[in-house]
Amino acid sequence: MFAAPDPGLRRLRISARAVLGVGSAVAAVAWAGLPLSAAVVGGLAALLALFTVADPTPRRQAVTTALLPAVGLPVLALAVALHRIPLGRDAAFLAVVFCGVAARRWGPRGNALGIFAFMMFFAAQFLEAGPRELPVLAVAVPMGLAVAAFVRFGVWCIERRTPGAPAAAPAPPGGRGLARP
């Protein structure tokens, strides 16, 4: 019953890698003496790098991970700059959402970059970050991404041991409603 939804325990390994990566990123940002808001953004950057980057090969995953700050930092700066301008902030947010969805046309890389841009804007607004917080947030994002890359490509090399194509999903178990495990 527990092996059917996760053949080869692949999801468990990916989730464990994410916990290690996010925890390490938050710890690194906190160890650097940055404030809690920076730890949140650094941890979020690591989480997104570990879960949304889904290119078929490790080399392409590394390229996508390296491109994340190029998309996330300008969007973060825009969100922080428009913090006290509600109409401009809302219009920019809609533009970021539109561009993030449109980026999906470029496959897994576009999807990851679009989600990252959206989440950086959202995080800045959620934390109510103003221009004064931008320098520490701009340091936390690459820190979180660097730790996530170190975990993904160095410490926890799942991608090197698994084939590029995901495993075929098993047939769903029989039964309906509560009779299904």
Side-chain angles (χ1 to χ4, degrees):
M1 176 169 68
F2 293 109
D6 191 10
L9 301 177
R10 185 172 187 273
R11 292 179 184 149
L12 178 64
R13 290 192 318 253
I14 290 171
S15 299
R17 179 189 66 192
V19 169
L20 177 65
V22 172
S24 299
V26 169
V29 172
W31 181 77
L34 299 176
L36 180 61
S37 60
V40 169
V41 171
L44 178 63
L47 175 80
L48 293 169
L50 291 166
F51 273 120
T52 65
V53 175
D55 294 285
T57 65
R59 176 171 286 174
R60 292 174 84 179
Q61 292 168 6
V63 170
T64 301
T65 302
L67 290 173
L68 291 175
V71 172
L73 291 175
V75 170
L76 185 66
L78 177 66
V80 167
L82 296 174
H83 172 66
R84 299 243 184 249
I85 307 169
L87 189 58
R89 178 187 64 217
D90 295 346
F93 187 62
L94 288 175
V96 168
V97 169
F98 176 80
C99 291
V101 171
R104 293 174 60 194
R105 71 180 356 192
W106 289 290
R109 180 169 294 155
N111 186 51
L113 295 173
I115 290 171
F116 195 77
F118 167 80
M119 290 304 295
M120 288 297 104
F121 198 102
F122 179 79
Q125 295 306 303
F126 180 78
L127 295 171
E128 297 181 3
R132 289 183 180 171
E133 288 87 16
L134 183 59
V136 294
L137 298 180
V139 168
V141 169
M143 259 180 110
L145 292 174
V147 171
F150 177 71
V151 169
R152 180 178 210 146
F153 302 112
V155 175
W156 194 291
C157 305
I158 293 173
E159 287 80 9
R160 291 186 197 159
R161 292 191 305 266
T162 59
R176 292 175 169 254
L178 296 177
R180 275 187 77 186

PDB file of all heavy atoms in Angstrom, residues 108-128:
ATOM      1  N   PRO A 108      10.365  22.764 -18.999  1.00  0.00           N
ATOM      2  CA  PRO A 108      10.680  22.735 -17.571  1.00  0.00           C
ATOM      3  C   PRO A 108      11.478  23.953 -17.105  1.00  0.00           C
ATOM      4  O   PRO A 108      11.267  24.450 -16.009  1.00  0.00           O
ATOM      5  CB  PRO A 108      11.500  21.459 -17.398  1.00  0.00           C
ATOM      6  CG  PRO A 108      11.190  20.617 -18.573  1.00  0.00           C
ATOM      7  CD  PRO A 108      10.836  21.554 -19.684  1.00  0.00           C
ATOM      8  N   ARG A 109      12.389  24.435 -17.946  1.00  0.00           N
ATOM      9  CA  ARG A 109      13.185  25.602 -17.544  1.00  0.00           C
ATOM     10  C   ARG A 109      12.301  26.840 -17.415  1.00  0.00           C
ATOM     11  O   ARG A 109      12.365  27.571 -16.429  1.00  0.00           O
ATOM     12  CB  ARG A 109      14.311  25.855 -18.535  1.00  0.00           C
ATOM     13  CG  ARG A 109      15.153  27.062 -18.155  1.00  0.00           C
ATOM     14  CD  ARG A 109      16.408  27.153 -18.968  1.00  0.00           C
ATOM     15  NE  ARG A 109      17.255  26.017 -18.644  1.00  0.00           N
ATOM     16  CZ  ARG A 109      18.160  25.505 -19.446  1.00  0.00           C
ATOM     17  NH1 ARG A 109      18.360  26.031 -20.637  1.00  0.00           N
ATOM     18  NH2 ARG A 109      18.888  24.472 -19.071  1.00  0.00           N
ATOM     19  N   GLY A 110      11.467  27.084 -18.395  1.00  0.00           N
ATOM     20  CA  GLY A 110      10.558  28.232 -18.340  1.00  0.00           C
ATOM     21  C   GLY A 110       9.600  28.136 -17.166  1.00  0.00           C
ATOM     22  O   GLY A 110       9.307  29.142 -16.508  1.00  0.00           O
ATOM     23  N   ASN A 111       9.113  26.931 -16.900  1.00  0.00           N
ATOM     24  CA  ASN A 111       8.215  26.721 -15.771  1.00  0.00           C
ATOM     25  C   ASN A 111       8.905  27.068 -14.450  1.00  0.00           C
ATOM     26  O   ASN A 111       8.350  27.783 -13.618  1.00  0.00           O
ATOM     27  CB  ASN A 111       7.716  25.276 -15.754  1.00  0.00           C
ATOM     28  CG  ASN A 111       6.665  25.052 -14.699  1.00  0.00           C
ATOM     29  OD1 ASN A 111       5.695  25.789 -14.611  1.00  0.00           O
ATOM     30  ND2 ASN A 111       6.863  24.025 -13.887  1.00  0.00           N
ATOM     31  N   ALA A 112      10.127  26.569 -14.263  1.00  0.00           N
ATOM     32  CA  ALA A 112      10.859  26.838 -13.023  1.00  0.00           C
ATOM     33  C   ALA A 112      11.157  28.327 -12.870  1.00  0.00           C
ATOM     34  O   ALA A 112      10.995  28.891 -11.782  1.00  0.00           O
ATOM     35  CB  ALA A 112      12.164  26.039 -12.995  1.00  0.00           C
ATOM     36  N   LEU A 113      11.572  28.979 -13.946  1.00  0.00           N
ATOM     37  CA  LEU A 113      11.880  30.405 -13.876  1.00  0.00           C
ATOM     38  C   LEU A 113      10.627  31.232 -13.611  1.00  0.00           C
ATOM     39  O   LEU A 113      10.660  32.203 -12.840  1.00  0.00           O
ATOM     40  CB  LEU A 113      12.568  30.865 -15.166  1.00  0.00           C
ATOM     41  CG  LEU A 113      13.938  30.253 -15.438  1.00  0.00           C
ATOM     42  CD1 LEU A 113      14.444  30.661 -16.815  1.00  0.00           C
ATOM     43  CD2 LEU A 113      14.934  30.610 -14.357  1.00  0.00           C
ATOM     44  N   GLY A 114       9.512  30.855 -14.218  1.00  0.00           N
ATOM     45  CA  GLY A 114       8.255  31.572 -13.980  1.00  0.00           C
ATOM     46  C   GLY A 114       7.768  31.430 -12.550  1.00  0.00           C
ATOM     47  O   GLY A 114       7.342  32.410 -11.927  1.00  0.00           O
ATOM     48  N   ILE A 115       7.840  30.225 -12.022  1.00  0.00           N
ATOM     49  CA  ILE A 115       7.429  30.008 -10.630  1.00  0.00           C
ATOM     50  C   ILE A 115       8.348  30.772  -9.689  1.00  0.00           C
ATOM     51  O   ILE A 115       7.895  31.390  -8.715  1.00  0.00           O
ATOM     52  CB  ILE A 115       7.426  28.504 -10.293  1.00  0.00           C
ATOM     53  CG1 ILE A 115       6.294  27.799 -11.036  1.00  0.00           C
ATOM     54  CG2 ILE A 115       7.293  28.284  -8.786  1.00  0.00           C
ATOM     55  CD1 ILE A 115       6.343  26.285 -10.941  1.00  0.00           C
ATOM     56  N   PHE A 116       9.651  30.761  -9.972  1.00  0.00           N
ATOM     57  CA  PHE A 116      10.607  31.457  -9.109  1.00  0.00           C
ATOM     58  C   PHE A 116      10.333  32.959  -9.095  1.00  0.00           C
ATOM     59  O   PHE A 116      10.334  33.587  -8.029  1.00  0.00           O
ATOM     60  CB  PHE A 116      12.040  31.163  -9.559  1.00  0.00           C
ATOM     61  CG  PHE A 116      13.064  31.532  -8.538  1.00  0.00           C
ATOM     62  CD1 PHE A 116      13.275  30.723  -7.432  1.00  0.00           C
ATOM     63  CD2 PHE A 116      13.819  32.681  -8.660  1.00  0.00           C
ATOM     64  CE1 PHE A 116      14.225  31.049  -6.467  1.00  0.00           C
ATOM     65  CE2 PHE A 116      14.769  33.025  -7.720  1.00  0.00           C
ATOM     66  CZ  PHE A 116      14.971  32.208  -6.617  1.00  0.00           C
ATOM     67  N   ALA A 117      10.089  33.532 -10.271  1.00  0.00           N
ATOM     68  CA  ALA A 117       9.785  34.965 -10.346  1.00  0.00           C
ATOM     69  C   ALA A 117       8.529  35.290  -9.549  1.00  0.00           C
ATOM     70  O   ALA A 117       8.506  36.240  -8.748  1.00  0.00           O
ATOM     71  CB  ALA A 117       9.630  35.395 -11.799  1.00  0.00           C
ATOM     72  N   PHE A 118       7.483  34.512  -9.756  1.00  0.00           N
ATOM     73  CA  PHE A 118       6.235  34.737  -9.025  1.00  0.00           C
ATOM     74  C   PHE A 118       6.453  34.667  -7.517  1.00  0.00           C
ATOM     75  O   PHE A 118       6.000  35.536  -6.767  1.00  0.00           O
ATOM     76  CB  PHE A 118       5.186  33.702  -9.455  1.00  0.00           C
ATOM     77  CG  PHE A 118       4.003  33.655  -8.545  1.00  0.00           C
ATOM     78  CD1 PHE A 118       2.992  34.589  -8.656  1.00  0.00           C
ATOM     79  CD2 PHE A 118       3.899  32.679  -7.560  1.00  0.00           C
ATOM     80  CE1 PHE A 118       1.892  34.562  -7.798  1.00  0.00           C
ATOM     81  CE2 PHE A 118       2.809  32.641  -6.707  1.00  0.00           C
ATOM     82  CZ  PHE A 118       1.798  33.589  -6.829  1.00  0.00           C
ATOM     83  N   MET A 119       7.152  33.652  -7.067  1.00  0.00           N
ATOM     84  CA  MET A 119       7.338  33.470  -5.630  1.00  0.00           C
ATOM     85  C   MET A 119       8.225  34.541  -5.008  1.00  0.00           C
ATOM     86  O   MET A 119       8.032  34.916  -3.847  1.00  0.00           O
ATOM     87  CB  MET A 119       7.881  32.074  -5.328  1.00  0.00           C
ATOM     88  CG  MET A 119       6.872  30.975  -5.563  1.00  0.00           C
ATOM     89  SD  MET A 119       5.324  31.170  -4.636  1.00  0.00           S
ATOM     90  CE  MET A 119       5.908  30.995  -2.961  1.00  0.00           C
ATOM     91  N   MET A 120       9.201  35.059  -5.746  1.00  0.00           N
ATOM     92  CA  MET A 120      10.034  36.140  -5.209  1.00  0.00           C
ATOM     93  C   MET A 120       9.196  37.400  -5.018  1.00  0.00           C
ATOM     94  O   MET A 120       9.311  38.098  -4.009  1.00  0.00           O
ATOM     95  CB  MET A 120      11.233  36.426  -6.113  1.00  0.00           C
ATOM     96  CG  MET A 120      12.300  35.345  -6.078  1.00  0.00           C
ATOM     97  SD  MET A 120      13.075  35.141  -4.451  1.00  0.00           S
ATOM     98  CE  MET A 120      12.310  33.642  -3.858  1.00  0.00           C
ATOM     99  N   PHE A 121       8.320  37.694  -5.976  1.00  0.00           N
ATOM    100  CA  PHE A 121       7.436  38.854  -5.833  1.00  0.00           C
ATOM    101  C   PHE A 121       6.491  38.632  -4.656  1.00  0.00           C
ATOM    102  O   PHE A 121       6.315  39.507  -3.812  1.00  0.00           O
ATOM    103  CB  PHE A 121       6.643  39.082  -7.119  1.00  0.00           C
ATOM    104  CG  PHE A 121       6.052  40.460  -7.219  1.00  0.00           C
ATOM    105  CD1 PHE A 121       6.656  41.414  -8.014  1.00  0.00           C
ATOM    106  CD2 PHE A 121       4.904  40.816  -6.517  1.00  0.00           C
ATOM    107  CE1 PHE A 121       6.128  42.690  -8.113  1.00  0.00           C
ATOM    108  CE2 PHE A 121       4.376  42.079  -6.602  1.00  0.00           C
ATOM    109  CZ  PHE A 121       4.990  43.026  -7.408  1.00  0.00           C
ATOM    110  N   PHE A 122       5.894  37.453  -4.610  1.00  0.00           N
ATOM    111  CA  PHE A 122       4.953  37.144  -3.539  1.00  0.00           C
ATOM    112  C   PHE A 122       5.622  37.201  -2.165  1.00  0.00           C
ATOM    113  O   PHE A 122       5.058  37.745  -1.219  1.00  0.00           O
ATOM    114  CB  PHE A 122       4.338  35.759  -3.769  1.00  0.00           C
ATOM    115  CG  PHE A 122       3.381  35.356  -2.692  1.00  0.00           C
ATOM    116  CD1 PHE A 122       2.087  35.846  -2.679  1.00  0.00           C
ATOM    117  CD2 PHE A 122       3.774  34.501  -1.672  1.00  0.00           C
ATOM    118  CE1 PHE A 122       1.195  35.486  -1.675  1.00  0.00           C
ATOM    119  CE2 PHE A 122       2.899  34.139  -0.667  1.00  0.00           C
ATOM    120  CZ  PHE A 122       1.606  34.633  -0.674  1.00  0.00           C
ATOM    121  N   ALA A 123       6.823  36.652  -2.054  1.00  0.00           N
ATOM    122  CA  ALA A 123       7.520  36.640  -0.764  1.00  0.00           C
ATOM    123  C   ALA A 123       7.807  38.055  -0.285  1.00  0.00           C
ATOM    124  O   ALA A 123       7.645  38.368   0.904  1.00  0.00           O
ATOM    125  CB  ALA A 123       8.818  35.846  -0.866  1.00  0.00           C
ATOM    126  N   ALA A 124       8.237  38.923  -1.188  1.00  0.00           N
ATOM    127  CA  ALA A 124       8.511  40.311  -0.802  1.00  0.00           C
ATOM    128  C   ALA A 124       7.247  40.992  -0.300  1.00  0.00           C
ATOM    129  O   ALA A 124       7.277  41.741   0.686  1.00  0.00           O
ATOM    130  CB  ALA A 124       9.097  41.084  -1.984  1.00  0.00           C
ATOM    131  N   GLN A 125       6.136  40.722  -0.959  1.00  0.00           N
ATOM    132  CA  GLN A 125       4.875  41.327  -0.522  1.00  0.00           C
ATOM    133  C   GLN A 125       4.381  40.707   0.785  1.00  0.00           C
ATOM    134  O   GLN A 125       3.884  41.404   1.664  1.00  0.00           O
ATOM    135  CB  GLN A 125       3.810  41.174  -1.619  1.00  0.00           C
ATOM    136  CG  GLN A 125       4.149  41.931  -2.872  1.00  0.00           C
ATOM    137  CD  GLN A 125       4.432  43.396  -2.608  1.00  0.00           C
ATOM    138  OE1 GLN A 125       3.609  44.106  -2.061  1.00  0.00           O
ATOM    139  NE2 GLN A 125       5.620  43.839  -2.981  1.00  0.00           N
ATOM    140  N   PHE A 126       4.525  39.414   0.909  1.00  0.00           N
ATOM    141  CA  PHE A 126       4.097  38.721   2.129  1.00  0.00           C
ATOM    142  C   PHE A 126       4.882  39.210   3.338  1.00  0.00           C
ATOM    143  O   PHE A 126       4.322  39.416   4.415  1.00  0.00           O
ATOM    144  CB  PHE A 126       4.272  37.208   1.963  1.00  0.00           C
ATOM    145  CG  PHE A 126       3.867  36.428   3.166  1.00  0.00           C
ATOM    146  CD1 PHE A 126       2.536  36.196   3.441  1.00  0.00           C
ATOM    147  CD2 PHE A 126       4.824  35.922   4.038  1.00  0.00           C
ATOM    148  CE1 PHE A 126       2.154  35.484   4.564  1.00  0.00           C
ATOM    149  CE2 PHE A 126       4.454  35.206   5.164  1.00  0.00           C
ATOM    150  CZ  PHE A 126       3.113  34.982   5.424  1.00  0.00           C
ATOM    151  N   LEU A 127       6.179  39.409   3.160  1.00  0.00           N
ATOM    152  CA  LEU A 127       7.034  39.872   4.257  1.00  0.00           C
ATOM    153  C   LEU A 127       6.964  41.384   4.455  1.00  0.00           C
ATOM    154  O   LEU A 127       7.578  41.905   5.373  1.00  0.00           O
ATOM    155  CB  LEU A 127       8.488  39.456   3.997  1.00  0.00           C
ATOM    156  CG  LEU A 127       8.756  37.967   3.999  1.00  0.00           C
ATOM    157  CD1 LEU A 127      10.169  37.683   3.507  1.00  0.00           C
ATOM    158  CD2 LEU A 127       8.535  37.382   5.387  1.00  0.00           C
ATOM    159  N   GLU A 128       6.229  42.053   3.572  1.00  0.00           N
ATOM    160  CA  GLU A 128       6.128  43.506   3.598  1.00  0.00           C
ATOM    161  C   GLU A 128       7.514  44.150   3.594  1.00  0.00           C
ATOM    162  O   GLU A 128       7.801  45.075   4.342  1.00  0.00           O
ATOM    163  CB  GLU A 128       5.296  43.978   4.787  1.00  0.00           C
ATOM    164  CG  GLU A 128       3.864  43.495   4.734  1.00  0.00           C
ATOM    165  CD  GLU A 128       3.018  43.981   5.897  1.00  0.00           C
ATOM    166  OE1 GLU A 128       3.513  44.751   6.742  1.00  0.00           O
ATOM    167  OE2 GLU A 128       1.844  43.592   5.946  1.00  0.00           O
TER     168      GLU A 128
END
